[in-house]
Amino acid sequence: MSPKPLIAAALACMAAGGAAAQDAQALYVRSLAATCANCHGTDGRAVQGSQVPTLAGMPQVYIVEQMKAFKAGTRTATVMHQLAKGYSDEQIQQIAAYFAAQKK
């Protein structure tokens, strides 16, 4: 057997593994963002007229700044300062990117 079919099979397996890893990462980030749904609505779309802001479509930089301010305690809130402390800076970046990518 020539090595070409083996190489092709190996490349196909690697590509499938890469896709599975991307899917797993996307699910992980979505699960992080889902923790915000109780207050900010599904995919960051708060109920119209709510006191809670809609996160969907907000700039990523703004969300990161606010989350870091909650985490540091420089922005006051009822529960956000406690919740923000539970996320690493990388997770905050991922959550912010997720909501920034959602349509308003």
Side-chain angles (χ1 to χ4, degrees):
M1 177 182 237
S2 83
K4 286 186 180 181
L6 293 176
I7 293 172
L11 290 174
C13 287
M14 288 171 42
Q22 281 183 325
D23 289 345
Q25 180 64 19
L27 287 173
Y28 170 71
V29 172
R30 187 175 174 130
S31 73
L32 289 175
T35 62
C36 307
N38 284 337
C39 299
H40 294 279
T42 304
D43 290 329
R45 290 182 201 89
V47 175
Q48 199 168 31
S50 172
Q51 297 276 339
V52 178
T54 290
L55 300 176
M58 271 192 183
Q60 180 178 352
V61 172
Y62 178 77
I63 296 171
V64 169
E65 287 173 355
Q66 299 312 306
M67 287 291 288
K68 287 185 176 185
F70 286 130
K71 190 173 181 177
T74 56
R75 181 171 176 188
T76 59
T78 54
V79 296
M80 279 304 303
H81 61 287
Q82 295 169 1
L83 295 171
K85 288 178 184 178
Y87 296 111
S88 68
D89 288 346
E90 181 180 350
Q91 289 171 322
I92 289 171
Q93 288 285 346
Q94 292 169 325
I95 292 168
Y98 176 85
F99 285 121
Q102 303 304 308
K103 292 183 181 179
K104 290 184 181 185

